[in-house]
Amino acid sequence: MRRVMVGLLVLAAVLLGLPGPTRARERMAADPGAVRWFRDARFGMFLHWGVYSLHGRGEWVMNNEGIPISEYEKLPGRFNPTGFQAREWVSMAKQAGMRYITITSKHHDGFAMYDSRLTKYDIVDATPFRRDVLKELADECRRQGLKLFFYYSQLDWHHPDFFPRGGTGRRAGRPDQGEWARYKQFYFGQVRELCTRYGKIGGLWFDGWWDRPNADWGHDELYAMIHRLQPQALVGNNHHHAPFPGEDFQMFEQDLPGENSAGFNRAGVSDLPLETCRTMNNSWGYNAGDTRHRPAPDLIRYLIQAAGRDANLLLNTGPLPDGRIQPEHRERYLAMGSWLQERGEAIYGTRGGPFRPSRWGVSTRRDRTIFLHILNWPAGGRLRLTGLRAGIREALPLRSVTPIPVTQTEDDVELALPDSLRDPVDAIVRLELEQSAEALPWIAGTR
Ligand code: JFZ
């Protein structure tokens, strides 16, 4: 009897919109523990994989070449990545020193890389492969201790109800009609599938809002649903604007936070956890013609530059249609892993600063230690820093016990760097302070 009474009371409370147990006050943020994990993780693998990989001309081929749906729908029948092994991909990410993987569950072409019960346009129902690669990756990530995030495109060039059309997907050959509410229900349903059928997930990485910025996407409801179903999941949205309510991290595409070489990173830097996503060449999806792969030292320095700006690096590869990883990208990932094997303590679990990015490099910090990442050797090996309001106990090369001569006055610190410290990638000095470095305010950099 009491149980029925309580049930009725809760029901009344919800129906009357009265504040009730937590459920009524929608969760609009991820667990603080998960947020801390994300900040500590610093390095993840981005995977752009789909039937577009068959063309080998990137993930926008359908739109860029005006391929109509009738034509594009022939691709799934040819998609059979028998070379795909979740264990192999996850092991590579782990060897690369990565803590999480973000994979395209559905990109703008609308093709689901998982077994969606809301469409037949997916890898299980429409390909000879018939395997749910997200399921296999989710299980393998759990086995190897990495987290799995799902990239999900809100933009859909295939769905008939993605109407009115936005800036893209206009040459797909869809009739000029459709029911937006039906599309919204569809994409909510797919997000719910991703939040209910793959165990605990790391989070959602949304994209495509920019195609219809004024549409009713229902973000409040969507984010609340995710936070309810997956309290530890972080939500991010690649809309290139300041974070919307309910988002847990802010991403920057092809730019370090605060920079805008790409042209669309106009948003300021929020105090949410930050993530920069980057291509290894200039393509997200597999592009056979794009062989301008950035050298491993440049990629390692980019990871350091991101950490020095308190951001993660989500480094992308576009797997081949047969399920293999491009050898040039595997090689670079593993080179980054060897570097992190030896110097990861200056990256993982750190926060950016306190010295802002400068001509000489960047800094990271944890507890009483500041790591100076000297990316450009200062003239005469003499590094001068101003504005540090903390006493330095000693300065040491990261991997040696031989102290570095340091003089500190009220406002200035001068380090006499030994030549033996020179390093073409990153010469790291650890400053051991008399107090915690984490509470120190950011200190203006020396340009
Ligand atoms: C988006 C996707 O279009 C792309 O395929 C990839 O997934 C990347 C990570 O994110 O890239 C964009 C999105 C929007 C703009 C530019 C690139 N824009 O609005 O200029």
Side-chain angles (χ1 to χ4, degrees):
M1 183 54 195
R2 211 171 78 75
R3 188 185 286 278
V4 174
M5 284 308 296
V6 170
L8 286 174
L9 272 175
V10 168
L11 185 59
V14 170
L15 292 176
L16 297 165
L18 296 171
T22 326
R23 186 166 152 1
R25 269 194 315 286
E26 290 295 0
R27 290 174 59 89
M28 282 308 269
D31 286 351
V35 171
R36 210 171 21 260
W37 169 87
F38 186 78
R39 285 187 189 274
D40 289 347
R42 283 290 173 250
F43 194 27
M45 177 185 280
F46 209 175
L47 293 164
H48 276 72
W49 197 37
V51 291
Y52 43 76
S53 308
L54 284 162
H55 278 311
R57 297 195 293 278
E59 75 289 355
W60 272 66
V61 64
M62 181 181 173
N63 187 77
N64 296 348
E65 299 177 13
I67 304 173
I69 288 172
S70 54
E71 206 39 52
Y72 197 86
E73 281 185 343
K74 294 179 183 147
L75 286 175
R78 294 173 36 216
F79 190 71
N80 193 10
T82 50
F84 168 75
Q85 288 182 28
R87 177 192 304 270
E88 209 261 323
W89 285 17
V90 177
S91 302
M92 180 184 66
K94 199 162 185 173
Q95 279 174 275
M98 292 157 161
R99 298 280 189 270
Y100 61 104
I101 292 174
T102 302
I103 183 165
T104 49
S105 65
K106 184 192 86 167
H107 204 267
H108 309 332
D109 65 353
F111 186 79
M113 291 297 282
Y114 70 98
D115 183 14
S116 172
R117 297 190 182 129
L118 301 173
T119 178
K120 288 275 174 272
Y121 198 51
D122 70 41
I123 193 169
V124 170
D125 298 310
T127 77
F129 190 61
R130 306 192 63 70
R131 282 164 48 191
D132 185 331
V133 293
L134 296 194
K135 179 89 179 65
E136 296 176 24
L137 279 170
D139 295 346
E140 190 58 30
C141 281
R142 232 180 318 281
R143 214 177 62 74
Q144 297 199 40
L146 273 73
K147 287 199 179 185
L148 186 64
F149 288 64
F150 295 135
Y151 167 108
Y152 183 86
S153 174
Q154 295 171 294
L155 163 61
D156 192 315
W157 296 327
H158 181 268
H159 199 285
D161 289 308
F162 190 98
F163 186 86
R165 307 276 179 265
T168 65
R170 289 169 172 272
R171 297 186 291 164
R174 289 174 288 185
D176 238 0
Q177 63 192 29
E179 192 49 50
W180 181 257
R182 263 206 305 268
Y183 176 70
K184 194 175 150 198
Q185 192 184 4
F186 168 79
Y187 102 80
F188 265 59
Q190 288 199 312
V191 173
R192 175 182 288 281
E193 291 180 317
L194 296 172
C195 289
T196 54
R197 296 182 31 220
Y198 297 92
K200 275 195 174 173
I201 64 172
L204 271 293
W205 207 102
F206 288 109
D207 193 19
W209 169 91
W210 33 265
D211 181 72
R212 293 200 64 212
N214 308 317
D216 162 24
W217 295 98
H219 285 133
D220 289 354
E221 208 187 332
L222 181 75
Y223 296 165
M225 174 184 79
I226 297 164
H227 287 127
R228 188 171 60 245
L229 295 169
Q230 295 267 348
Q232 79 300 328
L234 277 78
V235 173
N237 196 322
N238 188 36
H239 44 59
H240 304 133
H241 287 250
F244 299 165
E247 291 172 4
D248 303 292
F249 69 102
Q250 180 183 15
M251 63 278 273
F252 294 83
E253 186 184 333
Q254 301 282 43
D255 264 315
L256 294 164
E259 297 182 358
N260 187 17
S261 64
F264 42 70
N265 290 311
R266 291 178 292 276
V269 178
S270 73
D271 53 17
L272 288 181
L274 309 173
E275 181 191 68
T276 278
C277 61
R278 185 87 164 133
T279 51
M280 288 252 226
N281 47 11
N282 286 315
S283 306
W284 298 103
Y286 172 56
N287 184 344
D290 183 353
T291 56
R292 287 155 304 169
H293 310 293
R294 296 184 169 89
D298 292 11
L299 296 168
I300 296 168
R301 287 160 71 91
Y302 204 78
L303 170 70
I304 298 160
Q305 294 268 18
R309 290 165 176 76
D310 209 22
N312 293 7
L313 173 63
L314 187 67
L315 187 58
N316 182 79
T317 188
L320 299 168
D322 64 3
R324 288 176 305 117
I325 300 293
Q326 277 188 270
E328 301 88 345
H329 292 183
R330 170 192 305 285
E331 188 190 299
R332 286 159 174 76
Y333 279 145
L334 299 183
M336 297 178 81
S338 329
W339 187 88
L340 282 162
Q341 196 71 34
E342 292 168 13
R343 302 172 183 81
E345 67 172 300
I347 300 287
Y348 300 121
T350 66
R351 299 292 179 267
F355 300 104
R356 288 200 181 286
S358 301
R359 189 176 45 253
W360 55 265
V362 298
S363 59
T364 56
R365 55 181 139 176
R366 185 183 48 245
D367 306 332
R368 291 169 172 247
T369 305
I370 295 175
F371 300 97
L372 304 175
H373 296 269
I374 300 164
L375 303 171
N376 304 302
W377 195 255
R382 308 197 70 74
L383 183 61
R384 206 154 153 276
L385 305 166
T386 55
L388 181 65
R389 297 267 174 286
I392 296 173
R393 253 181 344 94
E394 65 181 338
L396 296 156
L398 181 70
R399 295 161 350 114
S400 134
V401 293
T402 319
I404 294 171
V406 55
T407 49
Q408 181 171 24
T409 60
E410 174 58 31
D411 201 36
D412 277 343
V413 171
E414 179 135 327
L415 294 146
L417 306 172
D419 260 357
S420 58
L421 183 69
R422 276 176 184 270
D423 183 303
V425 173
D426 182 14
I428 308 175
V429 173
R430 48 184 318 138
L431 292 183
E432 296 302 345
L433 306 186
E434 280 146 6
Q435 66 180 81
S436 166
E438 301 199 9
L440 293 171
W442 282 90
I443 302 164
T446 47
R447 284 277 149 229

